[in-house]
Amino acid sequence: MPVFKTPFNGYSVKFSPFYENQLAVATAQNFGILGNGRVHILQLTPNGPISELAAFDTADGVYDVCWSEAHDSLVIAASGDGSVKLYDLSLPPTNNPIRSFKEHTREVHSVDYNTVRKDSFLSASWDDTVKLWTVDRNASVRTFKEHAYCVYSAAWNPRHADIFASASGDCTTRIWDVREPGSTMILPAHDFEILACDWNKYDDCIIATASVDKSIKVWDVRNYRVPIAVLNGHGYAVRKVRFSPHRASAMVSCSYDMTVCMWDYMVEDALIGRYDHHTEFAVGVDMSVLVEGLLASTGWDELVYVWQHGMDPRAP
């Protein structure tokens, strides 16, 4: 399975929604504490190595990336200096970034593009806020400020263009409707910090949360008093969780225990796959929308792996 070595520590990896052989990677120097960052655009070659299509250097670490759902060459990056940067792959590196939004007062930890309306994106920051942006405006459309601590993740609902969820270090996940003045639901989902959340791609009322408490919980927002599933199996904090675009009850997670896990929350033995190919914290994971079962991960070992579920990521 192909592997790519990055100069800095990997933080996030995302498959292109347009091209099955392209992915974007966010990296940060010195474990994101101090130093530069780089956004890599990688290309998979049939039965061959991963090649680099483009790279964009930043003055601060990059913690997350997402692809535009409207323009196949547009990538958005979340930066440690509080900025959100837009890169256009059709332009040379010297012409990039094409835009840099600087409103957050602390690190931007997550960015997510609206897959329904395809005209806007969210940024989640350690300044305790989530901001809503459109590509063509120089200022944010709105700021959502209710969380009492860092917001680590914000995720659009895959069916409703105005609804998103946010996961925070204040131990809550909040559901928002951009048409409403405040959050519409507060889930006291864990007793420890919540690092990530994601919506089910087949049921718009199902959401997963991942926490420092080592667990992933699956919730039905129609009745959120108790989770519909609690997934235990990671040995340390769960950094990311992503629902499968192809199987309704499947999801993938990565953790500070250096593993990537595949789950089916509808079965009793929910842990259906564990991959221990990383040698440092595994902090980025994604599943391809275009190729069923294709996974990518990155971590602090400065490696990006791409593999088919069921295969060994380290196999040549």
Side-chain angles (χ1 to χ4, degrees):
M1 301 287 107
V3 183
F4 183 83
K5 175 79 169 69
T6 57
F8 303 152
N9 307 109
Y11 262 85
S12 175
V13 58
K14 299 281 174 65
F15 284 101
S16 165
F18 293 96
Y19 306 111
E20 63 182 43
N21 63 341
Q22 282 187 22
L23 57 160
V25 182
T27 69
Q29 200 172 18
N30 301 316
F31 311 103
I33 298 165
L34 184 72
N36 306 110
R38 185 174 291 173
V39 176
H40 298 268
I41 309 300
L42 305 181
Q43 181 158 312
L44 305 172
T45 54
N47 306 316
I50 301 175
S51 61
E52 186 175 75
L53 280 180
F56 304 104
D57 289 316
T58 58
D60 218 306
V62 184
Y63 294 144
D64 197 17
V65 283
C66 71
W67 292 86
S68 164
E69 294 282 338
H71 306 282
D72 62 358
S73 63
L74 207 61
V75 170
I76 298 157
S79 177
D81 65 2
S83 70
V84 179
K85 299 185 189 309
L86 269 62
Y87 295 95
D88 189 335
L89 312 185
S90 66
L91 300 172
T94 50
N95 292 36
N96 275 289
I98 57 169
R99 196 156 290 173
S100 183
F101 303 110
K102 185 75 169 74
E103 288 187 20
H104 285 294
T105 56
R106 289 199 62 196
E107 292 88 334
V108 183
H109 205 251
S110 156
V111 282
D112 191 49
Y113 209 92
N114 192 310
T115 59
V116 181
R117 202 181 283 126
K118 303 181 189 296
D119 65 346
S120 53
F121 63 93
L122 299 166
S123 59
S125 169
W126 291 5
D127 67 8
D128 310 350
T129 71
V130 178
K131 287 181 182 282
L132 171 66
W133 310 83
T134 59
V135 172
D136 54 355
R137 284 177 56 153
N138 288 321
S140 62
V141 178
R142 192 175 156 195
T143 300
F144 304 87
K145 184 166 175 56
E146 280 185 25
H147 283 294
Y149 195 58
C150 301
V151 188
Y152 293 115
S153 173
W156 287 107
N157 186 288
R159 293 213 185 150
H160 300 285
D162 296 303
I163 295 176
F164 71 90
S166 57
S168 169
D170 67 9
C171 307
T172 70
T173 291
R174 290 174 189 253
I175 313 297
W176 309 78
D177 185 324
V178 299
R179 299 164 296 189
E180 302 290 335
S183 64
T184 57
M185 197 177 297
I186 303 170
L187 278 69
H190 297 263
D191 293 330
F192 293 85
E193 290 189 82
I194 305 171
L195 302 182
C197 60
D198 195 38
W199 294 91
N200 188 297
K201 306 303 179 262
Y202 292 85
D203 186 333
D204 52 21
C205 292
I206 304 292
I207 189 169
T209 56
S211 172
V212 169
D213 68 11
K214 313 178 207 174
S215 77
I216 299 160
K217 294 183 182 180
V218 185
W219 308 85
D220 187 327
V221 296
R222 291 162 294 200
N223 179 19
Y224 60 90
R225 304 246 174 269
V226 292
I228 57 175
V230 179
L231 309 178
N232 292 304
H234 280 300
Y236 289 101
V238 186
R239 182 57 182 268
K240 297 256 175 70
V241 62
R242 304 278 291 176
F243 271 104
S244 166
H246 300 281
R247 287 175 55 195
S249 59
M251 66 177 91
V252 67
S253 62
C254 62
S255 165
Y256 289 132
D257 67 9
M258 308 185 201
T259 70
V260 171
C261 286
M262 183 72 86
W263 310 84
D264 183 337
Y265 74 88
M266 295 293 281
V267 300
E268 189 175 349
D269 294 324
L271 181 59
I272 57 174
R274 185 195 295 273
Y275 303 95
D276 59 357
H277 49 289
H278 284 290
T279 56
E280 282 284 353
F281 294 164
V283 295
V285 70
D286 197 25
M287 303 177 84
S288 171
V289 174
L290 302 175
V291 181
E292 185 171 357
L294 191 64
L295 302 169
S297 69
T298 191
W300 283 14
D301 53 9
E302 303 174 354
L303 294 172
V304 180
Y305 288 87
V306 181
W307 76 102
Q308 192 70 30
H309 173 54
M311 306 286 282
D312 182 352
R314 289 167 297 203

